[in-house]
Amino acid sequence: MTDQNTSQPGPNTNHNIQTDTTPTVDGTARRNGTVNVIVAFIVGALLAGLIAGAVAFLRPNEASSNGAGGNATAASAGAKDSCDTTFTVVASVNQWGSLAQQLGGSCAEVTSLINSTSADPHDYEATAADLAKLAKADVVVLNGAGYDGWAEKAQLDKNRQRIVNVGDLMGITATEEHSHEHEEGGEGEEGHHHHHHGSTNPHVWFSPEAVLKAAEAINDAYVAEAGENSKTAATVQRHFNEWNGEYADFVALVNKGRAAGVERNYVATESIISYLLDYIGATDKTPETYTNAMNSEAEPSAADLKSAMDTVAGDDVDILVVNPQEMGGFAKKLNEAAISSNKTIISATEQLPENQKTLLGWLTLIAKQALATDTTNGFFLTQDVKDRTLSDYEGEWQSVYPFLKDSTLDTVMEAKAKKGDMTAEEYKQYYDTGYKTDVEKIVIKGNQMSFTRGGKTATATYKYDGFRILDYEKGNRGVRFLFTATGDVPEGAPKVVQFSDHGIAPGKSAHFHIFMGNASQEETLKEMDNWPTYYPASMSGKEIATEILAH
């Protein structure tokens, strides 16, 4: 069941308004058991099918924000976790630390040394305390591939510790020094910090294949550390099996995009998520001269930069990928070109963002953003949003709020509780805030809207004022279509009206959320918690409940 309000921010979700309006592990024992074999076979089959179906990958608990030094992340306190032994895990970066925590649950005390997007991994210098944590850990998880060389230089003991190096698992080593240099940048760069990977792309946490291999290796390390017949081993194996199910869902999402023939072309300010984009079948249109310049000590020439900007603005590019941790002058110019040409921009940090709980969840979110095929849930291309008129909303509409109050929608709240993370009563309280309104009826005809409150009706004339795309913190987006009252506005009729109905282009609305205000459009855009919702006046409360459940 799709939440009828999915395009609106969920509980405790912040928002931003867009300005554009238009191997093996050392000492590891392998897993045994029928369940493991079956799960591995299913996931392996799904993965194999995906890779055979198109461009293969083989082309070249909420992480806390404690700064670069990091603190132990809170172990997931699952009621089912039973641990007769626990172990300490140290990861060089929180991308892998989050995966280690998810797989270890309450049996693993995980510390990510770089644990915030405010820390620059290319500039990081390990402290003596960091190196000591690495040396003392039972299990160590490194990125490898030259990305976290400072961690690889720690005094690790392969005879005592379980060491997972993801770069080694993938057979990727730093063929050229993964360097980072501070330079007084050329024109427009203002001393931008460059990091050069040479012929190596060390961002392996964006490789679904690497993430799968890392999860297997971490699970192996945990089972070996705990002992195969221990309660801890059973607990971590359960977490791994659950994770495998999530991975199968991720693969199914990408396969669905392939089956639908989704094609995406992109330009990237740097190759941060190229593994993931290759995996979903996207095509890199970044001019090679620009990429070569950014991956070397040379700055892009004026001609190279113009070529890249023209490519971004061209008709055959859908997406620009930026790394907000590395937004120098050249990246900003490509970003400006994407905004001015109304292109979709995907922002991908290096570290796991503070609002993302798991590595796989993060990859799934970026894949949804890139595929952009789920408009109802807020995943669409910016350039596909089109202007709409009041005719899309014409008709007689009734508020659903009375049906929430008289318990007609209780079946909806109960269904949400079965799938969500709140009780039915908590959902009812949330929707009470969202649906609440004293406008019982709205009638829209031509360019006029009539609002009925307590039997009194006020009518005003409205003109279209464009649309706004809202970026929500959880990663999806919404569109509001704006209308402003003209002439004399009678009491009871709002001066500004904003519609949101999960649609992004002209089309008759089946229901809508409406935002009303008497200040400015910009002020009304700030409203996130109250979104009165309307269905056709001809529908009964039970029919509305059935309609909501059906979606």
Side-chain angles (χ1 to χ4, degrees), residues 25 28-41 43 103 212-224 228 233 236-241 243-244:
V25 180
T28 296
R30 300 303 300 173
R31 295 185 308 280
N32 294 313
T34 304
V35 172
N36 305 337
V37 172
I38 292 173
V39 171
F41 174 80
V43 174
L103 295 174
L212 177 60
K213 287 187 175 182
E216 292 172 337
I218 292 170
N219 182 68
D220 286 347
Y222 287 171
V223 172
E228 288 190 9
V236 299
Q237 190 62 56
R238 174 174 55 80
H239 282 301
F240 178 72
N241 292 343
W243 183 91
N244 258 328

Side-chain angles (χ1 to χ4, degrees), residues 105 131 146 183 312 336 341-342 365-366 427 455 537:
L131 297 177
E183 299 179 0
V312 169
E336 291 167 1
S341 59
N342 202 33
L365 172 63
I366 296 174
Y427 273 112

Side-chain angles (χ1 to χ4, degrees), residues 380-414:
F380 52 84
L381 293 179
T382 301
Q383 53 269 38
D384 288 342
V385 182
K386 306 299 180 184
D387 291 318
R388 299 174 71 178
T389 66
L390 268 182
S391 63
D392 282 0
Y393 309 98
E394 190 160 302
E396 186 173 335
W397 305 88
Q398 62 180 321
S399 167
V400 301
Y401 188 53
F403 299 122
L404 180 76
K405 300 301 288 184
D406 70 10
S407 299
T408 302
L409 299 185
D410 280 0
T411 53
V412 176
M413 303 302 126
E414 291 163 3

Side-chain angles (χ1 to χ4, degrees), residues 248-258 363-365 367-368 371 373:
D249 290 341
F250 166 76
V251 174
L253 167 72
V254 179
N255 274 333
K256 183 178 180 181
R258 291 190 183 283
L363 266 60
T364 300
L365 172 63
K368 288 180 178 179
L371 290 169
T373 56

Side-chain angles (χ1 to χ4, degrees), residues 21 33 68 76 99 154 172 181 203 247 260 295 311 313 335 364 383 437 460 487 510 539:
T21 63
S76 56
L99 178 61
I172 300 174
E181 304 182 11
H203 306 109
Y247 190 88
N295 284 343
T311 302
N335 192 71
T364 300
Q383 53 269 38
T437 183
M539 296 179 69

Side-chain angles (χ1 to χ4, degrees), residues 318-320 342-346 369 380-383 477:
D318 305 304
I319 294 166
L320 174 69
N342 202 33
K343 294 299 175 62
T344 301
I345 300 172
I346 293 180
Q369 291 173 334
F380 52 84
L381 293 179
T382 301
Q383 53 269 38
R477 305 193 291 171

Side-chain angles (χ1 to χ4, degrees), residues 97-331:
S98 67
L99 178 61
Q101 188 68 76
Q102 184 180 8
L103 295 174
S106 299
C107 301
E109 180 183 338
V110 181
T111 298
S112 297
L113 296 179
I114 296 182
N115 197 31
S116 170
T117 54
S118 63
D120 188 342
H122 306 288
D123 214 11
Y124 189 69
E125 295 183 6
T127 66
D130 291 337
L131 297 177
K133 289 175 183 177
L134 285 165
K136 294 177 181 178
D138 299 316
V139 179
V140 174
V141 184
L142 306 176
N143 184 78
Y147 185 78
D148 48 4
W150 53 270
E152 295 183 75
K153 294 176 183 177
Q155 298 298 312
L156 303 178
D157 184 350
K158 294 183 179 181
N159 294 319
R160 181 185 63 81
Q161 298 173 291
R162 314 283 175 183
I163 302 171
V164 177
N165 185 308
V166 185
D168 289 349
L169 292 176
M170 293 295 293
I172 300 174
T173 57
T175 55
E176 295 182 19
E177 181 66 19
H178 171 63
S179 64
H180 32 272
E181 304 182 11
H182 298 278
E183 299 179 0
E184 293 301 322
E187 182 180 354
E189 279 300 273
E190 300 175 355
H192 170 50
H193 168 217
H194 298 280
H195 55 281
H196 311 301
H197 307 304
S199 57
T200 298
N201 182 353
H203 306 109
V204 290
W205 58 90
F206 285 118
S207 159
E209 183 181 1
V211 172
L212 177 60
K213 287 187 175 182
E216 292 172 337
I218 292 170
N219 182 68
D220 286 347
Y222 287 171
V223 172
E225 186 69 19
E228 288 190 9
N229 297 319
S230 65
K231 292 181 180 179
T232 292
T235 294
V236 299
Q237 190 62 56
R238 174 174 55 80
H239 282 301
F240 178 72
N241 292 343
E242 291 170 352
W243 183 91
N244 258 328
E246 294 176 15
Y247 190 88
D249 290 341
F250 166 76
V251 174
L253 167 72
V254 179
N255 274 333
K256 183 178 180 181
R258 291 190 183 283
V262 176
E263 296 181 0
R264 292 288 176 256
N265 298 323
Y266 71 94
V267 169
T269 59
E270 59 176 276
S271 57
I272 185 168
I273 62 170
S274 60
Y275 285 129
L276 178 57
L277 293 175
D278 284 352
Y279 187 83
I280 69 172
T283 301
D284 188 357
K285 294 288 187 175
T286 311
E288 187 175 358
T289 52
Y290 177 88
T291 300
N292 291 340
M294 294 304 292
N295 284 343
S296 69
E297 295 184 14
E299 303 288 6
S301 67
D304 293 340
L305 177 60
K306 184 179 186 303
S307 174
M309 293 175 66
D310 289 345
T311 302
V312 169
D315 293 337
D316 61 345
V317 166
D318 305 304
I319 294 166
L320 174 69
V321 180
V322 301
N323 175 1
Q325 291 175 272
E326 294 288 339
M327 288 298 289
F330 295 115

Side-chain angles (χ1 to χ4, degrees), residues 348-377:
T349 55
E350 301 208 22
Q351 275 62 61
L352 186 77
E354 283 75 7
N355 65 340
Q356 293 298 315
K357 296 180 180 180
T358 66
L359 176 59
L360 186 56
W362 188 28
L363 266 60
T364 300
L365 172 63
I366 296 174
K368 288 180 178 179
Q369 291 173 334
L371 290 169
T373 56
D374 189 3
T375 302
T376 298
N377 288 304

